[in-house]
Every structure is written in C-alpha cells, then in structure tokens.
Amino acid sequence: MLPYPFPGPFDYRVPETIDPHPGDIVLVPLNGRETVGVVWDARSGDAVPDRKLKPVAAVLEAPAMGASLRRFVDWVAAYTLSPPGEVMAMALRINALRPDFSPFGWRRAEPLPDLRLTEARRRVLAALADGDPRSTAELVRAAGTGPGVVRGMANAGLLVPAPLPLARAFADPDPAHPGPALSPEQQAAAAALREAVAGAFSVTLLDGVTGSGKTEVYLEAIAACLGRGRQALVLLPEIALSSQWLDRFARRFGVAPAVWHSDLTARTRRLTWRAVAAGGAPVVVGARSALFLPFPDLGLVVVDEEHETAFKQEEGVVYHARDMAVVRARLCEAPAVLVSATPSLETVANVEAGRYRRLTLPHRHGGARLPAIVAVDLRETPPERGKFLAPPLTAALEQTFARGEQAMLFLNRRGYAPLTLCRACGHRMECPNCTAWLVEHRIRRQLACHHCGHAEPIPPTCPHCGAEHSLTPVGPGVERITEEAMERFPDARRLVMASDTMPGPHAAAAAARAIEAREVDLIIGTQIVAKGWHFPHLTLVGVVDADLGLGGGDLRAAERTVQLLHQVAGRAGRAEAPGRVLLQTFSPEHPVMRALVSGSFSQFMEQEAALRRPGHWPPYGRLAALIVSADAAEEADATARALGRAAPSGDGITVLGPAPAPLALLRGRHRRRLLLKTRRDMAVQPLLRSWLAQVPVMRGTRVDVDVDPVSFL
Ligand code: ADP
Ligand code: ZN
C-alpha cells in the first residue's frame, strides 16, 4: 500500500535477499523513484505475471504496521469511500521514518548566569523546566517568541547545546499513584469500567451531569488498562484547550501523558510517533488523528465529550472520530468509553438498541448543585437600543461582581458584528469568494470572511452607493459585547476567550490560570468557553443569544444547541457557591429553551427521536452527502444534474437535490449538494459506489463524498 490516492495496493516481487512480512515498511520503485510503502497482504490476485513485477528494494528498520491498524485503514477507507492509500498515509507518517539530521537542541545552563530576564526569556526557560532538551523550533513555539530570542539566550550563556533524543520516552504513569477518594456513585461506575477493561470489545456510555466526576471515573479505567500493560488512548475535542485536563492527569498518575495534535512541531510529532510505535507511550491524549497512531497493544479508547462536532474531520478523508474510535477499539479487541453530559442521539439510540452499555452519574461531585437556568424573554425585557445585554442579565452581573464572584458571557460569534450594512442603500458587505457576510473585526480594523480568510480594510464609503459614514455594524460579536461590558462595568477585569484572541495552547492555559487565580471578573467568549473548564469561582453564565444556533436547515440544530448551551451552563457553580444561568431568547417556549430550563434532556431527546424516526433521519436511517464543486457554476450544475439523473432509487432510498449548497460559493468554488437517505438496515457505500461510477466528472470539477454528514453547509 502506497501513501497516495490509488484505488488499492500494488503488487511487487520479493527478491530472494529479503523476507518482508505483512505490515513491514518497505522501499519500492514507483515511476522511476523509490517510495515508502507498507506490505499490506500476501499477493491476492495474479493479474500481472511475476516477471513483469518490479522488485521490493528494501525492508526499512521501522516497527511494522500491525494487523489491527491495517484492518482499520481498510475499514475507514471502505466506509468513507476514500482511497486506502490516503487513509494509510495518516497512519504511516513517513517523516517519522526518516533519521533526524539536526540532532542538537538546547537545555538550561546550570547554574544560570545571573541576568535580568525578559518575559520571553523567562518563557523559554519555563519550557525547558523538565530538563529535556528541545530544538529551537520547539522553544520558539512553546514560548511564543522568535528564534532570535533563543539565539540571544545561547550567546548570553543561558542555554547550552544538548543532543536531542531520537525517540521521546514518556515516563510511565503510575496506576497505583493515589487518586481522589471516589463517592459510592463514582465507585460503582469506575468498577463497571474496570470490568470492561478486563474484557474484550465493548462500548460504554459514561453519561453524567457536568461536574459529576466523569473524568475522575474514566481515569480509573485508564489505571486498570495500564495495570494490564496495555496502552490507552483518550480523544478530546480540542486538545489545545485542555491544559486543565493535562494537569489533572499529572495529579492522578504522577507524570504527563503523550500528547498528539496538529499544533505539535514536526519533530515532536516524529518523536511521539516513534515512541508510540515502540510501545513507549502508555497513554496518548489527542485529537482525532491520534486514532491512526501505531499502538502495539491498544487496550482502551476513551472519547470525551463524544457529542462534539469537532470530532468530525471535514477535509481530506472525511470521517467521524467518535464512530471510528469504536471501530478501532473493536479491531483491537479493546473497550471503548464514550463520555458526555449530553450524549448525541446517535449514542443514545445505540444504548437503547442494546449495542452500548450506559453508566450514569446523576449528581455533581461534593454536593455542588447544578446551576439554576432561567430564560430571559427579550420581548418582555429588551436591552436598550443598540445594546445586547437585557436588564435582568446586567442586574445579575452586578450582583455577581458585588459578591466578588466571577461571571461569563457566552456568544458563539467572533469579531465585532456579523454584518455590515449601508444605511443609505441597504448594501451588505459580502465576501467576494463565499456566500457569506463579512464579519467586522474592529480591533484589527478589518472586515473578514470566516470561511475563506479573505480580509479587507473597512471602507470609508459604501462601495455600492458611495455614501460616506453610512456603513453600520448589525448584530453583536464578542468584541461588541466586550465593548458594552466595558461601558457598563468599567471596573470588572475582563478576559476575552475566542480563537483569535487566544492563539494556541499556551494562551489558553495562561487564561485558565488567570481565571483560577481570580485575576479576572468577567469572561467573554465563544464556544471555547463551553469546553470542560472547571472554574470554582464562576457562578453566573449569561448566554447573550440562545437562539443563535437554531436557524438554518440543519438536522441537528436543536440537539446541538441544547448540547452547547448545556455545556456552557455547566461551567457555573461547580464548587460551593451555587450557580445560575440566564438565557437571552426571543422564544422561551421553544423546546430547546424548555429542555435547558427544566434540565430534562431525556424528554427532549425523546422528542427529537420522535421527529427523526418517521422520516428515517439519522440515527434511524443513514445519510450521505455528495458535494459537487467547480470554478464555473455551469460546470457544477452539469455534474450535479448528471448525478441527479443517475440517482439510485428503490424501496427505502431517497435522494434529495441537487440543490445549491447553503454556502453556494466557497473559496471561489460553486457548490451543489445531493443527499442520499436510506433505511438504517441498508448500507450507503455500495449505492454510492455504483452511483458515482455512472457519472463521469469533468476536469476541474470535484465530487466529495461525506458519509454521515454533520455539516450541511
Ligand atoms: P465532569 O468531567 O463530569 O464534568 P470532573 O471529573 O471534571 O467532572 O469533576 C469536577 C470537579 O470535581 C473536578 O475538579 C474534579 O477534580 C472534582 N472531583 C470529582 N470527583 C472527585 C472526587 N471523588 N474527589 C475529589 N474531587 C473530585
Ligand atoms: Zn470567503
């Protein structure tokens, strides 16, 4: 199998001098060059006579790719209709097979010369605190500074050169290191998970309210897995925002786990990959791509916040990491644990069908109560003109600050305003490349597209009618809410948490520390604040626009809004002081608001199920999307229409479209969508394969396949 998008593996002849086995990593000739590949299987067919085959050049000295990972690659490729070589490339990491040619890095001088340190220099030293040498690139990244700072520190004698290791050894977490004393409820769940870890494949949903100690409980499952000498994998939706999780792990096991995500330097990634392959990384915590790491003996897969849409990979190989985690676990004969306070309807349906087991933690740990959630009806108590915080919310903020407690305002929108409109002619500022409005970012003095990255200065006059001073921001983003909070509560110390104000893991970790140290009174943030943060002094959460996620034709809009807002609400009142949550909404009677206010999710999920079941919508049926895109609208239309004509039909099969995608123009490409829906007992892949085989696709036109779509844009 070669790491390229070919439809399958290639045949090669084995010369007598070498003896490759399935899984071995080999060098083979391809188009006059040598390329790395993996021996996938013994030869299957005999289409090409032996003498015509090219010989394998060499077997590399690298850990072989195990059978369970090869079967996983095959499985993901078949399920997502991706070329298997493309999936295999995610598992192979060719870079990790190359020797390092820059083996020197830096460590701190001992003793340190007595010099005054700038903040940047201090951060570089902090990044070296564990004694392991690091490369310049790693230090630059970890300290958020430039290579000049590192060079300067070397010249000043603060850093000394040190050889870099070729594989990172991760210290062994100690499963016997004492953890917290678990409550009886937590103990029961932990015992059930330990039992699962002792068995073969199983899937367990760990369903517990926010703050119930789900993490502490599944750390016990990890301890049990380590005790059996197998590796554990934990998938987190946003690993860059997980500093608190990492601290907690270190407290429980005495050492840090191996971390895997796209923000790592190439070198760290290489070292980590090698360590995993060599069995030297007992616990890996990572983003979805960690599923493709070469664990020799994976004994447990945990998916935390399993309902999160961040687990869906939308580019390249389009797959859902939660679902593929279950497949990976099955192929390794290991248990999978899915964790959430608001499990997805998919997972709930699997529990109800008896495929997954459910463990529940119905109470918050330590007697903390769940926050009281109330809806603020914006029709009855509207904010002042041009403002966005209604009187009940500002009053609650005032009370919270007066008590010396912390508050959080949540609005899932970056920037200052989502729309800029000309008051003279009604012109709306739109992205030239996408069907989308430009979002004002006042701090950067720009209008920006959140889909393609296009940005332009805010024009002084309307580009349509030329009127001066007529462009007006419409609606709020977090920057505008921050401005309003600043006017109203000038003394409150504010912190904005959004992906553009907190670039990278270090900024997020610093923000978390500032909040824990009570250096912040008011947090204003986008969905970043909904993650698993534990801020004991935070007692008020205000949701600025609870209706925001409900528009649009998304199948899961209601479910997702409930999950997101419940997660946000779950940040309040996690310690002794009780929490409260105010939801600003124009429709307090909406089932989503009712579910949040009453806290009865099971009832809401039953309603959702009742809506989806009759039409065979997921999880009671299967969906796959075809997205046609081309530079010219006519070309996209031609292919989309041809697909429409060739659409499969029959009992239990429905095809919707072709129709312009909601993002009909994205990065300059015209997009059309078709949706295939089938009964649950049918497989969409054979239908898709024969469908696609009938329609020739013109050069420059693409047809992307999305099985189990999460985004309908
Ligand atoms: P969840 O993941 O369910 O939201 P956490 O595992 O984050 O809950 O637990 C919430 C807080 O309570 C954390 O600070 C955690 O350390 C603490 N906690 C949970 N269980 C215990 C326990 N048995 N003893 C001490 N602290 C606990
Ligand atoms: Zn754009």
Side-chain angles (χ1 to χ4, degrees), residues 546 550 557-559 561-562 565 589-597 604:
L550 293 174
E559 179 190 349
T561 303
V562 163
L565 296 186
E589 67 291 340
H590 193 287
V592 162
M593 303 311 146
R594 288 220 197 123
L596 287 162
V597 168
F604 171 79

Side-chain angles (χ1 to χ4, degrees), residues 392-407 489 493 518 520-521 536-541 572-573 576-582:
L393 181 51
T394 53
L397 284 164
E398 215 153 277
Q399 291 156 8
T400 305
F401 298 142
R403 277 198 299 268
E405 294 167 359
Q406 292 170 324
F489 305 105
R493 295 163 300 172
R518 305 183 83 161
V520 172
D521 302 307
H537 309 291
L538 179 74
T539 56
L540 174 69
V541 168
E576 298 81 38
R580 65 178 166 146
V581 179
L582 271 58

